Every structure is written in structure tokens, then in C-alpha cells.
Amino acid sequence: MKVFIILATLGTLAIIFFQYTRNKDFKKLFIALVTFGAIVALAVVGNLTRPVIPIFMAHIILVIIAWGGLAIYLWKEKYYWWIIFSPVITIGLFLLLEFLAGSGHEGVLFLK
């Protein structure tokens, strides 16, 4: 699984730079790299949702869909921002759940 993630990451970067060498479109390169960085950042931040498995699974699925949104932008030049930034929904849902229900670990640091 880790090999697949690394290959997908390197493959995406290779496709982005290959398209830049073909088109010399700096704006598209910049947008693609910023979007790629945002997707990776959302994937890393999404690890905080790991304690709630259903939200974590939904987050992983939305990250994969967001990666597909980046691929659509690279091939068809249509930027679907709501698909690309959809993992924010699961992070927000998790934070709302933690705010309303609590984490269940409040008393761990303070001995009674």
C-alpha cells in the first residue's frame, strides 16, 4: 500500500511536469502544484480523524476522489474545486463531533 501511495505521488508529479514541458503553461503548472500540495496536506491533516473509523474511511475515499479531480484538471483543464477540496468536509465533521461529544480523553493527563 505504501508503495502504491509513493508511486501515485511521483506519477502525479511526473505528469504535471511532463504537461508543463509540452505546453509551457506556467499558470497551469502553478495551479496544479498548489492543488497537489493542498491534497497532500489534507491527506496528512486527515490523520487526525483516525479515532473515528467511519469518518476516516470517508476521508480516505474523498482524498482519492480529490486526486481524481486533479487528474481531470490535468487532462481536460476543468477545475472542480468542490471535488478537490471535499476532504475538508470530513475534517470539519470530525472537529464538530469532537467539540460536541468530547474526545473521551480529558481525564488522562490529570490524575484524580
Side-chain angles (χ1 to χ4, degrees), residues 15-109:
I15 290 170
I16 289 171
F17 284 110
F18 175 72
Q19 291 226 344
Y20 174 70
T21 57
R22 249 180 55 205
N23 299 352
K24 301 294 184 197
D25 187 3
F26 185 74
K27 181 181 175 184
K28 185 175 179 181
L29 172 73
F30 181 73
I31 291 172
L33 286 177
V34 168
T35 302
F36 176 75
I39 292 171
V40 170
L42 286 172
V44 170
V45 171
N47 281 330
L48 89 112
T49 65
R50 194 175 288 254
V52 182
I53 296 298
I55 294 177
F56 181 68
M57 287 296 156
H59 181 75
I60 295 297
I61 291 168
L62 288 176
V63 166
I64 293 169
I65 291 171
W67 215 290
L70 177 61
I72 289 172
Y73 174 68
L74 290 174
W75 280 297
K76 295 186 179 181
E77 298 185 13
K78 292 183 179 182
Y79 195 78
Y80 295 111
W81 64 269
W82 52 276
I83 291 176
I84 293 171
F85 294 104
S86 61
V88 172
I89 295 169
T90 55
I91 295 170
L93 182 64
F94 176 77
L95 292 175
L96 178 69
L97 180 67
E98 290 294 313
F99 177 73
L100 294 176
S103 66
H105 301 97
E106 288 91 9
V108 173
L109 294 177

